[in-house]
Amino acid sequence: MKNAMIGTGAVAVFMLAGAAFADGHGGPADKFTSMDTDGDGAVTSAEFTTYATANGADAAEAELQFAVMAGEDGILTIEELEAVMAVQEKADDWEASTAMETETDFSDPAEETMPGDDAS
């Protein structure tokens, strides 16, 4: 049960990560430096929430993101952030590659007029 909850939380993190990282500037190291306001090499919940809400995330969403990303120790490391951002980038790439460029016609061929039908 715990693994299922972690999996669900991880999916939520990847879905929400876009809002927290929406500033679009720099890679994981730059973002980590921006989050780690006291410069101690670790991001706390308060630091992450401040960063995320400044970039458009809801505070409750930011707390959920942090809890899943930071794990049991309650500290977000650069390695953890890099892992989340790598997955988010792959998800963004996949979404872009599978986007439909044209609309598909899903009309029912049985509803179309057949030669010899009196549709007038």
Side-chain angles (χ1 to χ4, degrees):
M1 174 87 157
K2 183 177 179 182
N3 288 339
M5 291 187 342
I6 291 171
T8 302
V11 170
V13 167
F14 300 132
M15 291 173 62
L16 299 171
F21 306 134
D23 67 4
H25 297 88
D30 294 327
K31 293 194 185 306
F32 190 83
T33 300
S34 296
M35 290 180 209
D36 185 19
T37 55
D38 64 5
D40 67 353
V43 174
T44 64
S45 178
E47 289 173 318
F48 181 82
T49 301
T50 298
Y51 175 86
T53 56
N55 285 286
D58 176 77
E61 292 173 350
E63 290 172 11
L64 172 62
Q65 283 179 273
F66 181 82
V68 174
M69 288 191 302
E72 291 182 18
D73 66 356
I75 299 295
L76 181 64
T77 65
I78 183 68
E79 293 82 11
E80 290 166 331
L81 180 63
E82 287 171 339
V84 168
M85 290 184 69
V87 170
Q88 180 65 46
E89 184 176 331
K90 286 181 182 181
D92 291 346
D93 290 347
W94 179 82
E95 184 178 338
S97 71
T98 59
M100 297 178 79
E101 293 183 18
T102 60
E103 221 174 279
T104 303
D105 180 11
F106 292 106
S107 61
D108 185 356
E111 291 179 4
E112 300 206 12
T113 305
M114 301 300 284
D117 285 349
D118 187 14
S120 46

